[in-house]
Amino acid sequence: MLTEKRDVPYDFEEIYVSYFSRMKYFAREYVLSDEEAENIVQDVFAELWEKKVLLTYDINLIAFLFTSIKNRCIDYLRHKVVVQDAVNQMQEEYRITLRIKLSSLELFDESMFSEQDIEKIVTDIINSLPEKCREIFIKSKIEGKKQKEIAAELNITLKTIENQMNIAYKKLRSELKDYLPLLLFLLNI
């Protein structure tokens, strides 16, 4: 790209005045925003100013400007695509969650929730927990003991209790996913 030195270096101000609007128009065609096109062109001219030593060489200035703007537009558009893909994925996950909640409510039959039914469902799930996990969960949620008390009583670490409670909560959430909002309200777990 660099060839030989010019006798008279390019005049930056003259280049800016001559090419800014054309470069902005070029960038605008791709980034679809006047503001972003202007930012891109400003960045390219700032880069040219920082590398003003280039202005002392006989370079193809138009090719340099167009290539720089093209590359910045590509970077901008790639970033926009990634951001839009992430937004779309979050929106799709939200739509799926809404559909699940809607289905859950449509299937919900309050007549099947007598106090005995709820107790039986929860008891069955608690009984299906691994032994140590069940013991810790009962001590914490049914007997109302603090984690430090349980740790001292069972001679285990607080981390073990946290892990076992997480296992219990995960199992409860999984097994009760269709009833969870109601059960969380009724049982305060």
Side-chain angles (χ1 to χ4, degrees):
M1 185 161 146
L2 293 180
T3 54
E4 54 191 58
K5 283 204 173 230
R6 294 175 49 87
D7 294 333
V8 178
Y10 289 108
D11 179 25
F12 179 81
E13 193 173 319
E14 184 181 311
I15 295 166
Y16 186 88
V17 169
S18 297
Y19 293 105
F20 184 86
S21 61
R22 285 188 262 180
M23 296 298 144
K24 180 181 170 189
Y25 179 79
F26 174 72
R28 170 71 173 84
E29 286 298 307
Y30 296 97
V31 298
L32 307 175
S33 159
D34 281 331
E35 185 178 337
E36 290 303 327
E38 189 166 318
N39 289 338
I40 287 169
V41 174
Q42 288 285 11
D43 289 347
V44 167
F45 276 103
E47 179 185 352
L48 181 61
W49 177 255
E50 289 170 4
K51 296 178 180 178
K52 57 187 165 194
V53 70
L54 292 175
L55 300 176
T56 62
Y57 287 91
D58 193 20
I59 62 169
N60 185 339
L61 192 60
I62 294 174
F64 172 81
L65 292 172
F66 274 111
T67 300
S68 297
I69 290 170
K70 176 195 89 163
N71 290 337
R72 287 187 185 257
C73 287
I74 288 170
D75 291 344
Y76 171 82
L77 292 172
R78 283 181 179 150
H79 175 73
K80 281 295 191 187
V81 166
V82 167
V83 168
Q84 190 60 50
D85 287 347
V87 167
N88 290 344
Q89 182 178 353
M90 287 188 294
Q91 287 175 338
E92 183 59 25
E93 288 171 3
Y94 182 70
R95 273 192 293 274
I96 290 169
T97 301
L98 287 178
R99 284 189 201 120
I100 290 169
K101 299 287 185 195
L102 176 62
S103 295
S104 177
L105 280 173
E106 288 173 343
L107 295 173
F108 180 73
D109 181 6
E110 64 277 352
S111 65
M112 60 188 252
F113 281 104
S114 69
E115 204 169 306
Q116 292 83 14
D117 291 337
I118 293 170
E119 255 182 61
K120 179 166 178 4
I121 292 169
V122 173
T123 302
D124 289 347
I125 293 169
I126 291 172
N127 287 336
S128 73
L129 293 172
E131 185 180 338
K132 189 59 98 179
C133 183
R134 180 177 60 244
E135 182 180 11
I136 291 169
F137 184 81
I138 289 170
K139 287 184 181 302
S140 174
K141 293 300 172 187
I142 296 174
E143 296 174 13
K145 292 183 177 179
K146 303 276 185 219
Q147 288 188 357
K148 284 184 180 181
E149 292 177 74
I150 299 168
E153 187 178 321
L154 299 177
N155 196 26
I156 56 177
T157 66
L158 286 174
K159 187 69 174 164
T160 300
I161 292 175
E162 289 172 12
N163 289 338
Q164 293 300 313
M165 289 299 291
N166 284 334
I167 291 168
Y169 284 137
K170 193 174 190 179
K171 175 92 172 175
L172 283 166
R173 276 189 211 102
S174 172
E175 296 291 324
L176 299 172
K177 66 181 177 273
D178 293 332
Y179 315 110
L180 193 58
L182 177 65
L183 289 174
L184 288 174
F185 174 74
L186 293 174
L187 301 174
N188 195 23
I189 56 174

